[in-house]
Amino acid sequence: QSALTQPPSASGSPGQSVTVSCTGTRSDIGAYNFVSWYQFHPGTVPKLIIYEVTKRPSGVPDRFSGSKSGNTASLTVSGLQADDEADYYCSSFAGNNNFIFGPGTKVTV
Amino acid sequence: VQLVESGGGLVLPGVPLRLSCAASGFTFRFYWMAWLRQAPGKGPEWVANIKQDGSETFYGASMKGRFIISRDNAKSSIYLQVNSLRDEDTAIYYCARAQLAGGYFDYWGLGTQVTVSS
């Protein structure tokens, strides 16, 4: 299974919104509502921020939201804060007990 | 929830390596667990999952044959045996709690660096 596709970078000013796309195929993102997003800060534990396309784990601010249309999922971070500057990775279940990830998007605030 | 990996380091090509992950803060035996890895400059890559009682294991397509995931519920730990290490196995190896019903990994460890080099 090929990896998912993400833009290498995205940026926004404090208080603005930024949207990160994640493109797959009809065999992964298009087939399942099992898209998740992870935030990686250097030197810290990776954090789940969105699961099952739109759901937020307890403790994740509602500034983070997820969506999906066809074979493309999106993560939107609104009201950007300095601490949102990180690498964001999307992931999708791809059938046959297989999980695939994107190459990551570096969000700069 | 806390997951702490260990066992990484600088290793020669061709040698085996065993990574460990100690879990705490949740009822370990109730959850699927997983190993993932991230090579330099790349996104994470799923390595393997193991069922609550260890009776089922699944591996990424490129992992089959050289990687073996196991667990010890008495020690709240999982392990990853990697045989015949190759340069391309150089990565940070993460332990994670898996939520298979939703296809995601809800808690990760800090990771352990494995560098394969002669």
Side-chain angles (χ1 to χ4, degrees):
Chain A
Q1 220 80 15
S2 300
L4 305 172
T5 301
Q6 296 180 241
S9 63
S11 63
S13 300
Q16 290 186 331
S17 296
V18 66
T19 296
V20 178
S21 63
C22 172
T23 302
T25 70
R26 59 185 179 182
S27 297
D28 38 71
I29 290 178
Y32 307 98
N33 288 323
F34 294 149
V35 176
S36 51
W37 291 88
Y38 303 88
Q39 180 189 62
F40 278 53
H41 273 125
T44 66
V45 172
K47 183 180 179 182
L48 172 71
I49 53 172
I50 295 289
Y51 67 99
E52 295 177 16
V53 181
T54 62
K55 298 177 181 178
R56 280 178 290 105
S58 174
V60 173
D62 60 6
R63 301 186 296 103
F64 292 87
S65 61
S67 63
K68 189 185 89 167
S69 177
N71 300 334
T72 298
S74 297
L75 170 72
T76 297
V77 187
S78 57
L80 275 169
Q81 300 179 1
D83 191 48
D84 297 333
E85 189 161 293
D87 293 325
Y88 292 83
Y89 297 93
C90 61
S91 175
S92 177
F93 180 65
N96 294 320
N97 294 295
N98 188 30
F99 303 85
I100 57 175
F101 286 80
T105 297
K106 182 174 183 59
V107 170
T108 302
V109 180
Chain B
V1 173
Q2 188 172 21
L3 301 169
V4 180
E5 303 91 338
S6 60
L10 176 61
V11 293
L12 293 169
V15 303
L17 186 68
R18 189 188 196 217
L19 305 178
S20 301
C21 169
S24 60
F26 64 102
T27 306
F28 180 77
R29 68 182 185 277
F30 286 173
Y31 291 89
W32 282 81
M33 296 296 294
W35 285 99
L36 304 100
R37 69 181 184 179
Q38 185 174 25
K42 300 283 187 68
E45 181 180 25
W46 170 65
V47 174
N49 287 345
I50 186 165
K51 194 176 179 180
Q52 289 92 331
D53 62 358
S55 62
E56 291 185 62
T57 57
F58 300 103
Y59 296 89
S62 62
M63 313 298 168
K64 293 176 183 175
R66 293 192 302 119
F67 293 74
I68 301 172
I69 187 172
S70 61
R71 67 190 292 161
D72 184 340
N73 285 348
K75 294 182 179 180
S76 296
S77 294
I78 65 168
Y79 308 95
L80 183 69
Q81 174 81 21
V82 187
N83 297 316
S84 301
L85 277 162
R86 305 168 181 168
D87 290 350
E88 56 264 34
D89 294 322
T90 293
I92 300 173
Y93 284 73
Y94 295 99
C95 165
R97 193 174 80 173
Q99 298 287 359
L100 256 60
Y104 60 95
F105 306 95
D106 59 352
Y107 289 96
W108 298 53
L110 197 53
T112 185
Q113 175 71 52
V114 173
T115 302
V116 184
S117 175
S118 54

